[in-house]
């Protein structure tokens, strides 16, 4: 295997190109030179760091009573301590406080990077090109912000799923970057449509540098891209020379296909790590032969959002460009979060972490199933369109992954579509949103997640139909509350469309 | 007291002006509404956060054996535990893990903000205007990055000390922002020069929106601004309508005036908190009557750099503009660092934290004194200029604060200034830098810290003299090594200039 990542310097932003190496970095190799007294850097002495040690209690792998079981004894929990001094760490993988609380290591602490690099190898069978690496981030929100700064200038255009995570879209738009909506269906981006968009790109308008995609359990639609579509999209990236940014916070929440209650076997955990790994969807990063995919991985949905810790996977040369930006912005994720998360992972080991992920998938599968059962029970899914009796007014698309589901609604079927709403789909959407709230539940309307593009090629990407949708989550509420909420949504929809 | 901060919206960047409130925020008030089942947000349940509790051991206030003394027993140390569940926190000030590891609270966790708000009140006698507040940051590097994004467009100009922290200058320049150098002397910015610059600002070139200053123990020069100069600069800010950004990581390292060894009394700690507070220099934020100062405070030099935690002080309306950016970038400082730092501070209390700062100042004062004694012993400070026998070739300016000292050198006095270096001051600087390394020590040359301005008014701010300098720190090395390093610097300078 001798493939090397290509160079993508021509896609960098003006800002990234202007970042010079810090002059202080040019002398940093003298820092550990025993022949030099280093008076160059402003590092405080760790003698004055006011933490002697920190400790934590965590569940013990393989989490036989479930990942949410309380920690009651040494049977089901582990306790570990991180000392201040490197000389007091017994294992090489412990990040001592004098190390993680000091300046330096903007790329992330070595034991943390070692763990996620190995994990990435195991999960994505990395190796289609040689010079890949990982880089610590403060989570995917920050990683996306960095991505925009690394690649985009004001006025640039990026591609994104026509409905996408509102905060990611808003971050781009605030920077003056256009977000071009790529048409989707129930399975996510439609490669043929993307191909058409790019083939017919308006001459004179710079082509998109990036495709931003959430391939698994997409936010907000809950859709997941098949490997066939990913391959097709990757080929388009090569042909039209753009970078694919895969934002994958929900990757391990692959609950699989929904099977109706009366036909499904009891949910079980994976029989083995191999079975678990084999059933994970093929990622863009694992298809990548020339280093044009950047994967954003996060602990927010698998450990906790407040860790504010994640990592990028991609070509070393691109990650170095991020690193130069991080040195002047985040510097590095906080030392406490790096040492605690890293130590938890090292205590569990790679196998233990897979056990955790298997346990998590199990919990989400139960919730997803319960949620879809509840939607089928409470929503008027048998209500058919007056304009086309084969087409339901209200529909669901059971997700295979993630924490979100959507309820689609044919706005034109609202009895007052013409009279009260003047055929304005958006007005129906807003009205239904308010009626659901009035009925005691809240779902997020699809319009909150729209990409915008004001350029000439808008027509290529814009949906013109009258379908609207509402996003819900089954992750955040206990089951009985979920059922109550969904029944209220059902009542509201029935009141609006079936009366 | 009814002063209110003025509006500074006219100084915001295009990016800041384009940031819309997140639509998800418009419904967040329903989240805690008992009548609504909230299916809107993608929050994972804290049941699945894999930390049951975390604990830490810290020195115990009032740190009678010094802030660097080891923690050996309950006499000199405290141990505290942060539980997962809010219901298990006994005090209201503990940030439970289910809270700090969850999404939300981009402005910072309440108990953390409460502590630093109160601390800010105590230290800066806040109250010259009413609507000020604090905002959590990931430290001053990140806070400065945010500041640039909030206020500046590509092509804008900001004011900064002619020599300033290289990373701050580089961050601005990478964004296409000009950094206009404001002339300094041994006491920092010269207000009269700044006034001249602004009065003679080239017509048609937009005036600077910001002054970036490190008022206390300035990096790299070690200078500190007097209150008289601060008042004069603040008046200029009002007259010319710019914002003052005070970057104050070294504020509590106010070691006071250097007194030569033979004349000085033994260093003592402050007699009381009142004496300590009364002797702190008057900050820009405490002079501010109309909310045009943003203060960047950090724990990097007083607790530990790797906390990646700090806070801004300023007008609420401006901080809200930062907040909108933070929601799409850092989200919030990591939960572990907020809860651990906050808990340490609350365990100590406001008084205990002042004890810590008093202890820290004591340690730095000893080091500063030792360092200046050593410089006087080892440097050829009695070598006089051939061109002006009243002027020393090599000089020092003992700092009153911070961790840095500089050694200034008259480059034109180098025996080979004309013959070898062709009267190029920079070449002498580079040569001396290398000769110090060759002699076994390293100091950072002043040229690494220069502001650049390519516009027409460059002449106003640019020093044309032949003095160069080298920055050293007394913070990072133990005393005996510091003395060795300085003696090597002295030998190198003697070899170059006295032979």
């Amino acid at each position: 295997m001798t493939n090397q990542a290509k160079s993508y310097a021509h896609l960098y932003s003006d800002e990234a190109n202007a970042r010079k190496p810090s002059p202080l970095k040019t002398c940093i190799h003298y820092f550990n030179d025993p022949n030099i007294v280093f008076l160059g850097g402003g590092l405080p002495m760790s003698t004055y760091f006011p933490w002697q040690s920190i400790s934590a209690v965590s569940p013990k792998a393989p989490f036989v009573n479930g990942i949410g079981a309380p920690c009651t004894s040494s049977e089901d929990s582990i306790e570990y301590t991180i000392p201040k001094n490197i000389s007091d760490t017994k294992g090489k993988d412990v990040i001592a406080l004098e190390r993680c609380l000091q300046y330096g290591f903007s790329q992330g602490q070595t034991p943390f990077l070692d763990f996620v690099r190995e994990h990435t190898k195991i999960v994505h069978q990395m190796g289609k090109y040689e010079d890949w690496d990982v880089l610590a981030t403060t989570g995917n929100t920050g990683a996306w912000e960095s991505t925009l700064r690394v690649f985009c200038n004001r006025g640039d255009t990026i591609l994104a799923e026509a409905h996408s995570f509102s905060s990611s879209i808003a971050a781009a738009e605030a920077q003056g970057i256009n977000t071009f909506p790529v048409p989707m269906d129930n399975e996510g981006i439609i490669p043929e449509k993307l191909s058409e968009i790019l083939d017919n790109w308006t001459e004179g308008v710079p082509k998109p540098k990036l495709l931003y995609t959430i391939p698994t359990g997409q936010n907000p639609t809950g859709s997941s891209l098949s490997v066939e579509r990913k391959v097709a999209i990757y080929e388009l990236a090569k042909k039209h020379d753009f970078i694919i940014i895969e934002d994958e916070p929900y990757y391990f929440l692959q609950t699989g296909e929904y099977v109706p209650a009366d036909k499904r076997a009891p949910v079980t955990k994976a029989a083995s790590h191999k079975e678990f790994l084999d059933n994970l969807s093929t990622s863009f990063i694992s298809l990548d032969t020339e280093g044009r995919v950047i994967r954003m991985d996060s602990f927010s949905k698998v450990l906790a959002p407040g860790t504010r810790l994640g990592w990028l996977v991609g070509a070393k040369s691109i990650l170095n460009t991020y690193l130069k930006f991080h040195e002047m912005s985040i510097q590095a994720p906080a030392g406490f979060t790096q040492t605690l998360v890293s130590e938890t992972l090292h205590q569990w080991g790679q196998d233990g972490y897979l056990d955790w992920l298997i346990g998590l998938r199990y919990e989400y599968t139960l919730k997803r199933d319960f949620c879809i059962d509840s939607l089928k029970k409470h929503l008027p899914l048998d209500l058919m369109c007056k304009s086309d009796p084969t087409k339901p007014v209200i529909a669901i698309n059971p997700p295979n992954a993630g924490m979100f589901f959507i309820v689609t609604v044919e706005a034109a079927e609202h009895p007052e579509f013409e009279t009260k709403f003047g055929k304005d789909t958006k007005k129906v959407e807003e009205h239904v949103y308010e009626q659901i709230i009035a009925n005691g539940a809240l779902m997020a309307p699809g319009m909150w997640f729209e990409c915008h593009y004001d350029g000439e090629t808008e027509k290529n990407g814009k949906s013109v139909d009258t379908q609207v949708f509402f996003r819900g989550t089954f992750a955040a509420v206990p089951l009985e509350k979920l059922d109550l909420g969904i029944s209220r949504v059902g009542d509201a929809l029935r009141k609006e469309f079936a009366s």
Side-chain angles (χ1 to χ4, degrees), chain A:
Chain A
M1 207 278 311
T2 50
N3 262 8
Q4 296 288 320
K6 290 193 177 182
S7 166
Y8 300 96
H10 60 288
L11 297 179
Y12 292 158
S13 65
D14 293 344
E15 186 177 311
N17 286 325
R19 291 197 189 278
K20 293 166 223 152
S22 158
L24 281 164
K25 305 268 163 195
T26 64
C27 71
I28 204 74
H29 59 283
Y30 288 116
F31 185 69
N32 292 315
D33 184 333
N35 298 316
I36 299 281
V37 178
F38 194 87
L39 303 173
L43 281 70
M45 285 177 72
S46 58
T47 323
Y48 307 134
F49 296 173
W51 294 280
Q52 184 69 14
S53 65
I54 59 172
S55 310
V57 177
S58 289
K60 186 177 184 172
F63 319 104
V64 281
N65 298 319
I67 60 160
C71 296
T72 54
S73 71
S74 64
E75 292 293 302
D76 56 28
S77 57
I78 49 171
E79 184 166 0
Y80 42 95
T81 294
I82 294 146
K84 181 174 192 174
N85 299 318
I86 293 169
S87 55
D88 292 333
T89 59
K90 278 157 203 127
K92 70 174 173 55
D93 292 331
V94 180
I95 312 168
L97 299 179
E98 70 168 319
R99 176 61 266 151
C100 71
L101 293 179
Q102 188 52 280
Y103 284 117
F105 294 85
S106 272
Q107 71 276 34
Q109 297 288 333
T110 308
F112 170 69
L113 295 181
D114 287 348
F115 192 95
V116 296
R117 196 185 289 110
E118 183 65 22
H119 168 75
T120 302
K121 257 190 228 171
I122 292 169
V123 174
H124 302 286
Q125 300 94 43
M126 296 298 291
K128 290 214 173 55
Y129 70 95
E130 210 163 353
D131 48 340
W132 67 277
D133 206 356
V134 293
L135 178 75
T137 70
T138 57
N140 288 9
T141 307
W144 175 237
E145 170 74 15
S146 298
T147 300
L148 293 168
R149 303 294 182 191
V150 162
F151 290 104
C152 297
N153 296 322
R154 192 161 270 276
D156 279 355
T157 299
I158 63 170
L159 303 160
E161 280 125 358
H163 287 93
S164 186
F165 179 41
S166 48
S167 177
S168 296
I169 298 306
E173 289 177 351
Q175 293 182 34
I177 300 161
N178 304 303
T179 54
F180 192 99
V182 182
M184 312 169 71
D185 60 16
N186 280 349
E187 289 155 55
I189 289 174
I190 306 166
E192 296 72 25
K193 297 274 185 190
L194 176 57
S195 179
E196 257 174 58
I197 288 167
L198 291 163
D199 284 341
N200 298 308
W201 198 260
T202 308
E203 222 168 311
V205 176
K207 277 184 132 177
K209 287 173 169 176
L210 304 180
L211 166 67
Y212 171 75
T213 174
I214 307 169
T216 312
Q218 203 254 356
N219 185 358
T221 64
S223 62
S224 294
L225 278 174
S226 64
V227 61
E228 291 76 19
R229 289 197 180 189
K230 282 179 185 164
V231 169
I233 293 166
Y234 185 73
E235 289 305 313
L236 291 172
K238 288 203 284 188
K239 181 176 169 191
H240 297 280
D241 193 25
F242 60 83
I243 303 279
I244 296 173
I245 310 292
E246 61 172 348
D247 183 5
E248 280 288 40
Y250 318 109
Y251 184 71
F252 288 107
L253 311 180
Q254 294 183 37
T255 50
E257 210 161 313
Y258 169 79
V259 178
D262 54 344
K263 287 181 193 147
R264 90 176 156 246
V267 175
T268 55
K269 294 183 188 173
S272 69
H273 293 167
K274 188 175 179 311
E275 188 195 315
F276 176 70
L277 292 168
D278 287 349
N279 279 301
L280 290 172
S281 71
T282 304
S283 58
F284 276 112
I285 198 81
S286 66
L287 294 171
D288 189 14
T289 53
E290 50 186 41
R292 63 166 70 245
V293 176
I294 295 286
R295 182 179 174 85
M296 309 201 302
D297 263 307
S298 158
F299 292 115
S300 289
K301 306 304 190 293
V302 295
L303 298 181
T307 59
R308 300 322 307 134
L309 186 62
W311 71 100
L312 293 171
V313 188
K316 271 182 193 172
S317 62
I318 299 182
L319 296 189
N320 267 332
T321 310
Y322 279 81
L323 179 61
K324 276 194 274 175
F325 175 53
H326 284 187
E327 284 169 353
M328 291 176 190
S329 52
I330 61 165
Q331 286 211 20
F336 287 126
T337 204
Q338 287 200 67
T339 193
L340 279 166
V341 171
S342 177
E343 189 56 23
T344 308
L345 294 172
H346 278 286
Q347 289 277 339
W348 288 348
Q350 295 291 345
D351 280 347
Y353 185 41
L354 291 179
D355 289 328
W356 179 264
L357 297 170
I358 288 169
L360 190 71
R361 185 181 68 163
Y362 172 78
E363 302 288 339
Y364 272 82
T365 307
L366 292 177
K367 286 196 163 211
R368 192 275 317 262
D369 286 351
F370 180 92
C371 173
I372 307 301
D373 294 350
S374 171
L375 287 165
K376 290 186 146 199
K377 189 168 66 188
H378 294 302
L379 261 51
L381 299 174
D382 51 358
L383 198 64
M384 291 296 155
C385 291
K386 293 196 181 77
S387 61
D388 176 356
T390 66
K391 205 173 155 190
V393 176
I394 316 282
I396 55 170
N397 173 35
N400 299 339
M403 34 176 45
F404 300 112
F405 63 93
I406 59 169
V407 176
T408 59
V409 174
E410 288 298 329
E413 293 293 318
H414 194 283
E416 298 176 296
F417 184 59
E418 292 190 25
T419 53
K420 181 172 172 185
F421 302 110
K423 293 192 182 182
D424 187 335
T425 307
K426 288 262 182 294
K427 282 193 180 149
V428 179
E429 189 174 346
E430 218 157 303
H431 175 76
V432 172
Y433 166 66
E434 284 160 8
Q435 291 312 301
I436 293 175
I437 293 178
N439 219 43
L442 190 143
M443 293 183 72
M447 65 170 105
W448 289 357
F449 304 94
E450 272 172 17
C451 290
H452 305 98
Y453 185 76
D454 302 326
E456 277 184 52
T457 44
E458 181 172 10
K459 57 185 181 304
N460 292 322
K462 200 150 188 184
S463 156
V464 289
D465 65 19
T466 54
Q467 198 183 64
V468 299
F469 72 86
F470 298 88
R471 187 196 76 173
T473 180
F474 49 83
V477 281
L479 298 183
E480 65 281 11
K481 222 175 157 186
L482 179 62
D483 192 59
L484 176 67
I486 289 173
S487 75
R488 289 173 175 178
V489 172
D491 290 345
L493 292 175
R494 204 169 284 111
K495 228 180 286 172
E496 287 300 313
F497 288 89
S499 60

